[in-house]
Amino acid sequence: MADKLRRVCRNRLKDPPGEDFIFKNRQRDAEGMPWAVSRKTTDNGIQDMGKIARMDVPPGCHSLRKTFGCHYCRQSGDIAFLMIWFNHSSAEVTKRYIGIDLDERVMKIRRFEI
């Protein structure tokens, strides 16, 4: 399923529907530039792409944010950057948010021997 969603996203990014925006807002400002879309509108667009990819549970903005954080942390190990990026008060909050804390606990239990 991830490959299907990746293809749908890539196609959408190749030919965005409006001036450098993935999700185009129909309303425009005085200069004719589109307004930024709301979080809910973006969330709906992401869910629509998930439906096009025939995902059982389409992703949303929040799940993509957390997934980005988890993958970024695993690849870079830079939890401090994510803490600032997500505007969290501590690295522990960020770890808990992206599930790293849970992953670490599961690995410790798996390594445990009597």
Side-chain angles (χ1 to χ4, degrees):
M1 284 300 171
D3 291 335
K4 287 182 184 179
L5 182 60
R6 198 173 292 123
R7 259 185 275 126
V8 169
C9 289
R10 281 190 186 134
N11 288 338
R12 189 70 181 256
L13 291 170
K14 279 183 199 171
D15 188 24
E19 301 82 1
D20 298 328
F21 290 109
I22 297 171
F23 303 106
K24 182 179 175 182
N25 191 335
R26 284 176 261 149
Q27 296 177 332
R28 306 218 173 236
D29 64 14
E31 288 86 35
M33 297 299 295
W35 291 353
V37 295
S38 69
R39 185 207 53 82
K40 183 63 181 159
T41 303
T42 303
D43 201 50
N44 289 340
I46 291 169
Q47 287 185 5
D48 288 346
M49 288 194 298
K51 289 174 188 173
I52 291 168
R54 296 187 181 128
M55 296 179 74
D56 293 334
V57 179
C61 290
H62 197 173
S63 62
L64 291 178
R65 182 178 189 245
K66 289 175 77 169
T67 301
F68 159 76
C70 188
H71 286 282
Y72 181 85
C73 187
R74 285 186 179 150
Q75 289 178 28
S76 71
D78 189 358
I79 197 77
F81 169 79
L82 285 178
M83 184 185 86
I84 294 165
W85 185 263
F86 290 150
N87 197 28
H88 289 161
S89 58
S90 71
E92 291 305 313
V93 170
T94 303
K95 282 183 177 183
R96 190 171 55 243
Y97 176 75
I98 62 176
I100 297 293
D101 187 41
L102 178 61
D103 291 346
E104 288 173 356
R105 286 184 281 168
V106 168
M107 291 305 293
K108 286 179 182 178
I109 292 295
R110 286 186 180 160
R111 287 188 223 131
F112 179 74
E113 293 181 20
I114 295 180

